[in-house]
Amino acid sequence: MSKFNKLQLINIFSALGVQLINPDENLLETIETEHHYNAWFTADSVLHAIKAIGVMLNEKDLGLWLDRYNLDENKPEKKVGLILAGNIPLVGFHDILCVLVTGNYALIKASSQDARLIKGILALLTTIEPHFKGQYSFVERLTGFDAVIATGSNNTSRYFEYYFGKVPSIIRKNRSSIAVLRGDETAEQLYQLGHDIFDYFGLGCRNVSKLLVPEGYNFNFFFESIEVYNNIINHNKYNNNYFYNKSIYLVNSDKHLDNNFLLLKEDIRLASPLGVLYFEYYDDLNAVKLKLTEDSDRIQCVVSAIPLEINNQVVDFGQSQQPALWDYADGVDTMQFLTTL
């Protein structure tokens, strides 16, 4: 199935990781100009995404990851259709990586929001190992596929399930991420939580869109600890979303908290609008665990220092947008899916 053994794959992709952590002039130019094509993809956001992938592709983790699977070199190649999201930079890279390391062929339908970045990173990979030039192609419409991995909304997932129902598939829907606070977090922990909230302007499914806080929680210290992120309001699109939601709350007399760049609103829903963070109070951690368990199929990850022992991935403050190779979207093992086709 795979032309390369595990050691070769580790060497190839860790070399890519090194290049992503230390971008050359061409990649730096892409990083600096991407906002001309997508205003959300600022230089800081793109650089953050590229370096996060670079860190992920380290020799140790690649070895631990690949050791979990049987990469049968004699297994016939399958054509895997990939419908990629484009909400944050390079969000679809991990799916492509999984297809390539398992020796399959990637038919990539990239999001128009993110196509240039994906193509640039893959071009970089092929300079390290030219064999991969023949292992993927970009397509406008998926045809001739043996399996599909499609990422979309709850609405598009119904279409995907109907259209791709006759082949093996992974269909991903909307998910949100939550932070559970105990009330005694330090300023540093809450500052790190700011990364989980504000990285990529909150556009990712791994961005925290809701807080669960103990009864009587005082938000003053939370606001003080995240004040350093106030520059986000200077981004035009974020600013528009923030003021749009603020005006609605004011017109409707909806109770909310406001620090001039983030709105906090008590709400039972998981997914908050941009510029807004929902919160709910709790009085018992067992009730929190029950709530998280009930909503597990709508949660991508949980940020907390509390040992929650739940089905969803729990990460420390500041780590939601730093996934490891084995932190699969929706908790579905993409490699297991691909190696057993």
Side-chain angles (χ1 to χ4, degrees):
M1 189 183 198
S2 176
K3 175 183 171 63
F4 305 103
N5 61 39
K6 288 179 182 178
L7 182 58
Q8 290 171 320
L9 289 169
I10 291 167
N11 289 337
I12 292 165
F13 284 97
S14 63
L16 176 62
V18 169
Q19 293 206 28
L20 297 181
I21 291 172
N22 305 285
D24 62 15
E25 286 187 14
N26 288 335
L27 189 51
L28 283 172
E29 183 180 353
T30 300
I31 291 167
E32 291 293 334
T33 59
E34 192 60 24
H35 70 276
H36 294 309
Y37 304 89
N38 182 340
W40 289 113
F41 287 14
T42 62
D44 283 346
S45 287
V46 175
L47 182 61
H48 185 285
I50 286 174
K51 289 202 170 187
I53 293 172
V55 170
M56 181 174 67
L57 296 175
N58 66 82
E59 286 186 14
K60 180 182 176 183
D61 283 2
L62 282 163
L64 291 170
W65 181 52
L66 294 176
D67 278 346
R68 299 180 179 192
Y69 306 100
N70 177 28
L71 301 181
D72 183 355
E73 295 181 30
N74 298 314
K75 194 171 182 182
E77 172 186 287
K78 301 289 186 179
K79 289 190 173 180
V80 182
L82 300 175
I83 298 179
L84 306 184
N87 50 319
I88 66 174
L90 296 167
V91 68
F93 174 81
H94 191 270
D95 284 340
I96 299 172
L97 171 68
C98 291
V99 173
L100 295 182
V101 300
T102 54
N104 291 301
Y105 186 95
L107 293 165
I108 306 168
K109 188 178 189 326
S111 165
S112 60
Q113 303 293 310
D114 194 29
R116 291 175 73 257
L117 282 176
I118 290 284
K119 289 176 180 176
I121 299 302
L122 288 178
L124 198 56
L125 171 64
T126 60
T127 64
I128 297 167
E129 178 42 70
H131 167 77
F132 285 115
K133 284 183 181 178
Q135 290 304 114
Y136 70 88
S137 57
F138 287 87
V139 298
E140 287 301 312
R141 188 169 180 273
L142 289 184
T143 57
F145 48 83
D146 300 302
V148 170
I149 301 173
T151 303
S153 66
N154 290 345
N155 288 332
T156 58
S157 70
R158 288 192 285 271
Y159 164 77
F160 291 156
E161 285 165 355
Y162 170 78
Y163 191 73
F164 303 125
K166 294 180 180 178
V167 299
S169 62
I170 295 175
I171 308 295
R172 304 200 186 103
K173 306 176 184 179
N174 291 111
R175 294 227 176 188
S176 304
S177 294
I178 291 180
V180 182
L181 303 186
R182 193 164 40 202
D184 60 356
E185 285 77 17
T186 65
E188 174 62 21
Q189 286 176 312
L190 295 176
Y191 161 75
Q192 292 296 339
L193 175 59
H195 278 294
D196 303 314
I197 298 166
F198 297 113
D199 283 354
Y200 310 120
F201 302 97
L203 288 163
C205 63
R206 296 181 68 91
N207 282 109
V208 167
S209 57
K210 181 169 186 172
L211 303 179
L212 295 180
V213 297
E215 288 285 356
Y217 185 82
N218 187 331
F219 283 99
N220 290 340
F221 186 55
F222 169 77
F223 277 139
E224 290 170 11
S225 302
I226 65 166
E227 180 62 26
V228 68
Y229 297 96
N230 62 12
N231 190 52
I232 196 170
I233 200 65
N234 295 323
H235 187 276
N236 185 54
K237 282 182 171 289
Y238 182 90
N239 181 293
N240 289 342
N241 279 272
Y242 164 82
F243 278 106
Y244 172 78
N245 288 301
K246 181 173 180 172
S247 65
I248 289 175
Y249 294 160
L250 291 173
V251 168
N252 293 337
S253 299
D254 288 336
K255 188 177 178 182
H256 65 281
L257 301 172
D258 181 8
N259 70 346
N260 296 316
F261 63 91
L262 179 68
L263 303 163
L264 261 67
K265 182 177 183 293
E266 188 172 0
D267 202 298
I268 62 170
R269 289 173 290 182
L270 292 179
S272 59
L274 278 183
V276 180
L277 189 62
Y278 287 155
F279 69 90
E280 261 189 89
Y281 293 110
Y282 70 85
D283 57 11
D284 177 52
L285 270 178
N286 288 324
V288 169
K289 293 177 186 178
L290 180 61
K291 179 176 180 58
L292 295 177
T293 299
E294 289 173 348
D295 291 333
S296 63
D297 62 346
R298 298 191 293 143
I299 294 173
Q300 193 64 267
C301 71
V302 177
V303 177
S304 186
I306 304 168
L308 292 166
E309 298 173 357
I310 55 174
N311 290 333
N312 296 100
Q313 181 197 3
V314 180
V315 300
D316 201 2
F317 297 108
Q319 297 301 304
S320 70
Q321 293 292 357
Q322 304 284 341
L325 288 160
W326 45 82
D327 292 332
Y328 296 105
D330 296 13
V332 178
D333 190 326
T334 315
M335 287 286 284
Q336 184 67 24
F337 170 78
L338 291 167
T339 54
T340 55
L341 284 175

